[in-house]
Amino acid sequence: MRQNPERRTALLDAAIEVLAREGSRGLTLRAVDAAARVPVGTSSNYFANRGELLRQIMGRTYERLTPDPAELAETMTAPRSPELVALLLRQVHQRMRADRSSYLAMLELRLEGTRRPELGAELNRIFSAELENNIRFHLDAGLPGDRVAVILLYLAMHGMIVDDLTVPDVLAGKAGELTDELCRRLLGNAAPDAS
Amino acid sequence: MRQNPERRTALLDAAIEVLAREGSRGLTLRAVDAAARVPVGTSSNYFANRGELLRQIMGRTYERLTPDPAELAETMTAPRSPELVALLLRQVHQRMRADRSSYLAMLELRLEGTRRPELGAELNRIFSAELENNIRFHLDAGLPGDRVAVILLYLAMHGMIVDDLTVPDVLAGKAGELTDELCRRLLGNAAPDAS
């Protein structure tokens, strides 16, 4: 059976919608075929089993949530300051909002990972590497704040995005202001850390 | 059909285990009967439907995660300081760890709430009220930090607990230290706010 990359991506995008809409128990290869409007059996030609599908979905959500390099380069022309960090975090949040399905699918995968040790191990590896990437980017770019500050920013933004996607009334439209306050308070007196 | 409160609580505890273990799609009244080892049909005598069961589970998770009043009173005899706030937050985290099922069940409910508007509205109401309670407790107790600080602490702890329960390697046992740093950095120069 020949495979093509566009078809694979379309199947993964359909799987993300199924996960976000139905939850992880609703995610079967058959449900993906239906959501992608392809003949029954197509997904099983691309993914050996459900575990392999789950693994590839994770990679696809990262692709979808990655910033446009040109836009990021443009943002990074600004002077290094707590305000610039706040702008970068607002942009992360904006991407999540613009692609709710990807973030909800990631939350479903996290919960599924607590039940499937192999997926759990893979997620631990991916999320740990991603946090290290964020820390490296922050420090290499000379942004204010040390390693611990970046981790604290990551945790607060993660909590904020989970609330914003699942119980949006709690922050009642204040997410942007809270992001600014977070950076002002955590980074206000911080120098860049070259460690 | 007579109902008794102990039986109701036992059914809700069984439902929390089903949610944590199987995810929200696995939660049926029949699955709760099985998990609670009671005759088929028992749960439907206590909960008019699955929606009513979901609503009552939320209340039960809060009961289970509420601190022991005597222990809290004992903690609150200490002088007001960032260290005391860190101790309180560590205790919250400890309760979540000691009752993983309740927190995982709450995450499942949050995701289910994105698919069921009625449940979503209820969760928005409950989580908003809970955050207001936390803010009120903090300010009334004369702990350091204003309203915004309490919200930022809540967001970071929420992100930390989600990571700790779903991808524990990311923080690699540093959650306690990070909680201390969070309080030191956010509250280090803060006076109590009587507003």
Side-chain angles (χ1 to χ4, degrees):
Chain A
M1 165 84 192
R2 287 238 297 282
Q3 298 191 347
N4 80 64
E6 290 75 20
R7 171 63 63 97
R8 176 183 301 277
T9 301
L11 291 171
L12 289 172
D13 286 341
I16 287 170
E17 294 309 316
V18 172
L19 261 184
R21 204 172 57 220
E22 312 269 343
S24 58
R25 290 249 304 196
L27 186 75
T28 60
L29 293 173
R30 252 189 133 81
V32 174
D33 290 338
R37 297 163 192 267
V38 295
V40 171
T42 306
S43 291
S44 58
N45 283 317
Y46 283 79
F47 312 103
N49 50 50
R50 188 166 171 279
E52 182 56 23
L53 172 64
L54 290 169
R55 209 183 58 71
Q56 292 197 28
I57 289 171
M58 196 63 213
R60 177 64 184 149
T61 59
Y62 269 111
E63 263 175 42
R64 283 171 51 158
L65 294 170
T66 295
D68 173 49
E71 193 190 330
L72 181 60
E74 167 69 23
T75 304
M76 293 305 290
T77 58
R80 278 48 183 148
S81 67
E83 290 73 28
L84 175 58
V85 178
L87 176 60
L88 287 162
L89 295 178
R90 278 171 174 255
Q91 289 174 348
V92 170
H93 192 170
Q94 200 44 54
R95 286 197 297 279
M96 303 288 179
R97 282 192 153 174
D99 187 1
R100 285 177 60 87
S101 294
S102 282
Y103 205 83
L104 290 173
M106 281 204 289
L107 283 177
E108 291 285 351
L109 288 177
R110 282 170 175 262
L111 287 169
E112 183 79 355
T114 66
R115 301 185 278 260
R116 296 170 63 98
E118 210 175 308
L119 178 63
E122 175 93 5
L123 296 180
N124 268 297
R125 202 184 55 67
I126 293 175
F127 281 107
S128 298
E130 185 61 16
L131 179 56
E132 277 309 316
N133 285 344
N134 286 341
I135 294 168
R136 189 42 52 205
F137 172 84
H138 191 105
L139 300 183
D140 287 352
L143 292 165
D146 61 3
R147 184 181 170 84
V148 168
V150 183
I151 298 174
L152 296 176
L153 293 173
Y154 155 78
L155 293 173
M157 291 307 295
H158 177 32
M160 185 185 292
I161 293 169
V162 172
D163 264 20
D164 194 34
L165 291 184
T166 62
V167 284
D169 294 357
V170 172
L171 300 181
K174 298 260 171 66
E177 287 166 52
L178 287 166
T179 304
D180 295 344
E181 282 293 328
L182 176 69
C183 293
R184 192 173 303 131
R185 292 176 186 216
L186 274 184
L187 308 176
N189 301 313
D193 181 343
S195 70
Chain B
M1 164 86 192
R2 288 239 296 283
Q3 298 190 346
N4 79 64
E6 290 76 19
R7 172 62 64 97
R8 176 183 299 277
T9 300
L11 291 171
L12 289 172
D13 286 341
I16 287 170
E17 294 308 318
V18 172
L19 260 185
R21 204 171 58 222
E22 313 268 342
S24 58
R25 290 250 303 199
L27 186 76
T28 60
L29 293 172
R30 252 188 133 83
V32 174
D33 289 339
R37 297 162 192 267
V38 296
V40 171
T42 307
S43 291
S44 59
N45 282 317
Y46 283 80
F47 312 102
N49 50 50
R50 188 166 172 279
E52 181 58 22
L53 173 63
L54 290 169
R55 210 182 59 71
Q56 292 197 28
I57 288 172
M58 195 64 213
R60 177 65 183 147
T61 59
Y62 268 110
E63 262 175 44
R64 283 171 51 158
L65 294 170
T66 295
D68 173 50
E71 192 191 330
L72 181 60
E74 167 68 23
T75 304
M76 293 304 291
T77 57
R80 276 48 181 148
S81 68
E83 290 73 28
L84 175 58
V85 178
L87 175 61
L88 288 162
L89 294 178
R90 277 171 173 257
Q91 289 174 348
V92 170
H93 191 170
Q94 200 43 54
R95 286 196 298 279
M96 302 289 179
R97 284 191 151 175
D99 187 1
R100 285 177 61 86
S101 294
S102 283
Y103 206 83
L104 290 173
M106 279 204 289
L107 283 177
E108 291 286 351
L109 288 177
R110 281 171 176 262
L111 287 168
E112 183 79 355
T114 66
R115 300 185 279 261
R116 297 170 63 98
E118 208 173 310
L119 178 63
E122 175 93 6
L123 295 180
N124 268 298
R125 201 184 55 66
I126 292 175
F127 282 107
S128 299
E130 185 62 15
L131 178 56
E132 277 308 316
N133 285 345
N134 287 340
I135 294 169
R136 188 43 52 207
F137 173 84
H138 192 105
L139 301 183
D140 287 352
L143 291 165
D146 61 3
R147 182 181 170 85
V148 168
V150 182
I151 298 174
L152 296 176
L153 293 173
Y154 156 78
L155 293 174
M157 291 307 296
H158 177 32
M160 184 184 291
I161 292 168
V162 172
D163 264 20
D164 194 33
L165 291 184
T166 61
V167 285
D169 294 358
V170 173
L171 300 181
K174 299 261 172 66
E177 287 167 51
L178 286 166
T179 304
D180 295 345
E181 281 293 328
L182 177 71
C183 293
R184 193 173 303 131
R185 293 176 186 215
L186 273 183
L187 308 176
N189 302 311
D193 181 344
S195 71

